[in-house]
Amino acid sequence: EAQVTQNPRYLITVTGKKLTVTCSQNMNHEYMSWYRQDPGLGLRQIYYSMNVEVTDKGDVPEGYKVSRKEKRNFPLILESPSPNQTSLYFCASSKGDSYEQYFGPGTRLTVT
Amino acid sequence: QKEVEQDPGPLSVPEGAIVSLNCTYSNSAFQYFMWYRQYSRKGPELLMYTYSSGNKEDGRFTAQVDKSSKYISLFIRDSQPSDSATYLCAGTTNAGGTSYGKLTFGQGTILTVHP
């Protein structure tokens, strides 16, 4: 089944404790993105990647890091999480010539 | 000002009603527009997309773009309880290259269709 998977689905952590949210897709898509979704603000792009080793900032990249060492994986790293990073996070992927993005199921992160 | 503005609702309608969901955008370079549907506790999924101005119909759904007024609409005919979801509009420049990965979303409108 073609899909985007994220782990973990739920995470509660404390301020300053480094964490990684994994994202994997099995569709051989070139593009992958991370978004955060907050009430009243909608989906905002954090980072995106056009292919292996090629990444670029989205609209809200501060406090996040990403890497794309393999085509199928695009982890999101929070080196020192803060409470304002409490949010619902989505990973998405798309083919290199398509605007249709396929989203993962989401990761709900709470930073206390 | 956000590049894409959307009334968050919530919007509640009876089954069978015609639903109109709307967005405005400010980026004149946007040429490709999409509507995503997001059910509770799920990721968004693409519902429809349109290029430049005009209408596109798919079953009970019609997407409309008016570039002169920078207005995007989604109409749902004969709405069903299964249509209850959050609807997100999005735009992109259709410049190829990196624009394939760069969508700008509105805030989303929460729709409830009650039996």
Side-chain angles (χ1 to χ4, degrees):
Chain A
E1 180 191 354
Q3 60 183 349
V4 178
T5 57
Q6 296 178 227
N7 282 292
R9 295 289 312 279
Y10 302 90
L11 179 60
I12 301 174
T13 189
V14 296
T15 298
K17 186 176 181 182
K18 181 179 178 179
L19 66 91
T20 299
V21 183
T22 65
C23 173
S24 183
Q25 50 94 3
N26 63 1
M27 295 170 279
N28 201 36
H29 284 170
E30 288 79 13
Y31 281 84
M32 297 186 75
S33 295
W34 275 104
Y35 295 86
R36 59 178 291 173
Q37 187 173 36
D38 302 288
L41 297 176
L43 276 169
R44 293 179 293 166
Q45 193 175 50
I46 302 170
Y47 270 96
Y48 64 103
S49 168
M50 291 151 279
N51 216 320
V52 175
E53 303 290 3
V54 183
T55 62
D56 203 354
K57 296 177 182 178
D59 299 316
V60 288
E62 296 78 18
Y64 304 94
K65 283 178 60 176
V66 293
S67 69
R68 187 99 180 268
K69 293 182 171 28
E70 302 168 284
K71 196 172 185 179
R72 62 183 292 128
N73 296 324
F74 190 43
L76 179 70
I77 302 157
L78 285 72
E79 299 238 330
S80 183
S82 62
N84 65 12
Q85 292 178 299
T86 292
S87 187
L88 180 58
Y89 290 87
F90 288 101
C91 179
S93 73
S94 60
K95 289 176 62 177
D97 60 353
S98 171
Y99 293 104
E100 180 173 2
Q101 296 199 3
Y102 292 81
F103 284 79
T107 295
R108 185 164 293 281
L109 171 66
T110 302
V111 183
T112 62
Chain B
Q1 182 194 7
K2 284 177 65 70
E3 281 190 295
V4 180
E5 296 275 2
Q6 188 175 3
D7 185 344
L11 184 62
S12 180
V13 301
E15 183 175 354
I18 296 174
V19 176
S20 172
L21 303 168
N22 306 295
C23 294
T24 58
Y25 66 95
S26 59
N27 189 338
S28 299
F30 280 174
Q31 294 191 56
Y32 218 87
F33 303 92
M34 281 144 279
W35 284 95
Y36 279 79
R37 178 174 59 194
Q38 184 179 15
Y39 289 117
S40 181
R41 297 187 181 86
K42 301 283 189 184
E45 56 182 357
L46 182 67
L47 187 60
M48 294 186 71
Y49 65 89
T50 55
Y51 177 67
S52 194
S53 281
N55 293 358
K56 185 172 183 177
E57 191 173 316
D58 184 2
R60 296 185 294 111
F61 299 88
T62 299
Q64 196 171 77
V65 177
D66 182 346
K67 290 196 74 182
S68 62
S69 58
K70 295 189 177 67
Y71 205 75
I72 313 164
S73 299
L74 177 71
F75 299 97
I76 307 174
R77 290 184 300 280
D78 187 26
S79 57
Q80 302 295 309
S82 58
D83 295 327
S84 298
T86 298
Y87 289 80
L88 300 134
C89 60
T92 188
T93 60
N94 192 36
T98 59
S99 74
Y100 286 123
K102 188 111 179 74
L103 299 181
T104 302
F105 285 87
Q107 297 95 316
T109 299
I110 301 170
L111 171 68
T112 301
V113 181
H114 50 88

